[in-house]
Amino acid sequence: MMIRLIGAVLITAGAAAWGLLGVFRLRSRVRSLNALVSALGVMKSEICERLTPMPELLKLLGNEATPPASLLFKNAAEKIPSLGSKPFSTLWNQAVHETPELLLASPEELVLKELGLSLGRYDIGEQRSALQYAERRLGDYARKAETEREKNSKVHAFLGVAAGLFAVVILL
């Protein structure tokens, strides 16, 4: 009897942890998008007002940006030495693709990849426009993710516990 009780508790706890993991993932996604929006704002001011060169800017943001956005800039900065053999947009896209910690959905990833087509390629005005567009779009996605988090957090937590209790009832 004691083994069944321990098993029931473990199954319920495991399912509840699975539900809470969903809650934490939703929270992390919102944090990630907000960090990207903030970093793009810094990037815009550095490019447009201070005329910071891209290699220096990527290192700066890799050190100064809020994680996980900082990882994107670190990944991009590591790829800068191969800039002569590959265009910046390719290096940027690789960095976006190699930073799964950002928890980006396909449309959000596409916004960053489109931004990579403009960075360092056009004059300051066009880069400013591209950065403003990316900031605005990612800000919209961050608000949607926050709404989704608020709406679905309780559902994830409840379903985790309910699934565990359901499994226990069936097994006992």
Side-chain angles (χ1 to χ4, degrees), residues 47-48 51 118-130:
I47 288 174
C48 300
L51 305 174
S118 299
L119 290 176
R121 188 172 184 181
Y122 297 110
D123 68 7
I124 290 174
E126 290 185 35
Q127 288 185 67
R128 176 184 287 124
S129 296

Side-chain angles (χ1 to χ4, degrees), residues 51-94:
L51 305 174
T52 307
M54 193 58 68
E56 183 181 327
L57 177 58
L58 292 174
K59 285 180 187 171
L60 172 77
L61 288 171
N63 293 328
E64 304 283 325
T66 306
S70 62
L71 296 174
L72 168 65
F73 298 106
K74 284 179 185 174
N75 285 343
E78 288 172 3
K79 295 178 184 337
I80 286 294
S82 60
L83 186 58
S85 61
K86 296 179 183 177
F88 179 78
S89 60
T90 302
L91 302 176
W92 178 259
N93 289 348
Q94 288 174 347

Side-chain angles (χ1 to χ4, degrees), residues 111-171:
V111 168
L112 285 178
K113 288 180 177 181
E114 287 174 353
L115 175 63
L117 294 171
S118 299
L119 290 176
R121 188 172 184 181
Y122 297 110
D123 68 7
I124 290 174
E126 290 185 35
Q127 288 185 67
R128 176 184 287 124
S129 296
L131 283 160
Q132 286 172 336
Y133 175 77
E135 248 183 307
R136 188 173 53 250
R137 294 291 297 153
L138 289 175
D140 292 343
Y141 288 129
R143 284 186 288 284
K144 285 180 186 175
E146 177 63 30
T147 302
E148 180 183 332
R149 185 197 64 78
E150 288 173 357
K151 186 172 79 173
N152 293 334
S153 286
K154 290 179 184 174
V155 173
H156 278 277
F158 174 75
L159 285 177
V161 172
L165 291 175
F166 182 71
V168 167
V169 167
I170 287 179
L171 293 174

